[in-house]
Amino acid sequence: MINDKLPSIYYGGDYNPDQWPEEVWQEDMRLFKLAGINIVTLPVFSWAKLQPSEDTYDFEWLDKIIATVAKEGIFLCLATSTAAQPAWMSRLYPEVLPVDIDGRKRTHGSRVNFCPNSPVYRMFSQRLATKMAERYGQHPSLLVWHIGNEYAPHCYCDTCASSFRAWLQKKYGTLEVVNRVWNMSFWSHTVYEWEDIVPPTNLNGNNRCFQGIALDYKRFMSDAILECYQGEYDIIKRITPDIKITSNIWGLFNGLDLKKWADHMDVVSWDSYPQMNEPMSNVAMRHDYMRGLKDGQPFMLMEQTPSQQNWQPYNSLKRPGVMRLWSYQAIAHGADTVMFFQLRRSVGACEKYHGALIAHAGHEHTRVFQECTQLGKELQMLGDTLLDSVTESKVALLFDIDTWNAVEMTSGPSVDLDYLKQAQKYYRAFYDLNVSMDVISPLSDFSKYELIIAPVMYMLKPGVSDRLKSFVKQGGTFITSFFSGIVNENDLVTLGGYPGELRDLLGIWVEEIDALQPEMTNRIMMNSTFGELHGEYECGLLCDLLHLEGAEALGVYGRDFYAGMPAITRNTFGQGEAYYVATDPEQRFLEQLSKTICERLNLTTAHQAPEGVEIRSRQKDDKTYTFVLNHNAYETAILLNFGSYKDLLSHRIYERTLVLEPHGVAILEVCS
Ligand code: GLA
Ligand code: ZN
């Protein structure tokens, strides 16, 4: 449990009372109670008010609001408020302001607009964190700490440049090693002194010249920002060792090494803002990724909008039922909290059109408030039933931020190659079958899985290929795709033929990689029926030209000068099998491939759901809670496996068939 003071799903969100006169606070409390809010996150962006000058702090207003909230029995997620420094700091200490990749010094304003290596920023932020922890650490309503907010700054200033050199010295020891791992003899880049090393620049609009430098700079930045977080973390931990600490992750993004970050959090939390028409599989994948960051531990849904965003190009409303549906989807994937940004809509600045529990109308008679209230009641009713339950998956998708960055930074083979999209395509194929997946790092433990999928496993870190080989040798099934096994962690090519260290596992040698023009396609022609796969499929983007070295071809290319060469292969390796998809196939191919593999491995689902219905389970104390989520805007029937089931939400008993209303949800438990 995040904190057993509140043995229930945390329900609430970002609350900004400092933007409002005190008279409004009491009304807020009335409305929060009505909606079933049990936690508020504050003060996320109040540094300017908490420390109006270098030498003065003012906590009185916060004392008052905390007392007001606590009196109502509402708990606290306390933020350290260090994501936006006050204007006096930028004025008196301009070195806290960052420099962008083109060398331009930023002016004060916005948020997360500081140099992460600035000793001044670190000193002041740690001082504030200390004061917060000392003042409120023992408060009976405190449940969890929230450091910063969506960390993601990047800076290229002189302070960062010299910290980068120190980071490199620690990592590589000598310049000789740096010159080698960055391949600096290319374009006369040899460095003679540490001072010769500078942060990457954006020459001609991109930084794709030296992936070694650019990749290490990203890693260094992630570490530098982590040090900012860690500085606050250590202080708070010392003062309140029993309270969990987190920082809300911006989403599945490649600006930070999120896996490493998660190792420094007590509980992962993240902010989920899907676009209205985004495939639900993408949202599910992000939740699974967050759950995977701490090896399956429940996470916090720290933010979602109750209705609409302000920052998307088209900020559509969540349709009736959708906020509830997506909240349960998050829980189904491992969230133990449902929290919003924001509780009251602000009156000015860029978030005034961002959805909130309390609208500008200021009362409870709105659709959104009513939907939030219904959800609040349900969550209250569920109590601690679902808390700490876990997900058991036999399938894992490997996803790696470094690989993502490396693919993004590489020059060639195709500008259309998008690592995340490739992962999403494969994830979706299994999602559509309602097969539960974990999304994990290639450095995670593979032992509990039967099937591992790693699309575009471009970069292989030390030890990963050996671990994959022993996984397959012992009977595991492995699927990977084109542009895999190409480079090491420094983006240096593994010589001797692609896919490098995976060559014997896959039983193939890729001789060349063809990038198709956007209007070009090729075909995959199946040699014979393989499970669900038969006939022809369209493919494009990249086509590997490969030779068999022990594997068998299940299908071949249908066109071009490499017609007849293998396009999908299977290799028996020890007790297991390794598949290679040599090109980017149409989704239908991946659907049928995943179905075939799941049938071969007996990874089928118990209930039969039509398209648009997601089924996920969480387990606890020998009980299984099955979430049935109807993403369709129409009524949908699900055929249940033999037995009778109780829906924890409606308390109805179901046998054989469950009919869900548009965007409806059921949480089924087997009747004993
Ligand atoms: C992020 C931030 C919040 C708010 C929301 C708006 O998630 O953490 O402060 O700006 O976006 O969607
Ligand atoms: Zn800097």
Side-chain angles (χ1 to χ4, degrees), residues 389-402:
S389 56
V390 296
T391 305
E392 280 165 17
S393 309
K394 297 263 169 267
V395 186
L397 181 99
L398 303 190
F399 190 84
D400 181 45
I401 301 267
D402 262 340

Side-chain angles (χ1 to χ4, degrees), residues 125-136:
S125 55
Q126 289 174 19
R127 199 181 275 177
L128 183 57
T130 312
K131 290 200 181 286
M132 289 290 296
E134 283 171 347
R135 195 168 187 104
Y136 304 113

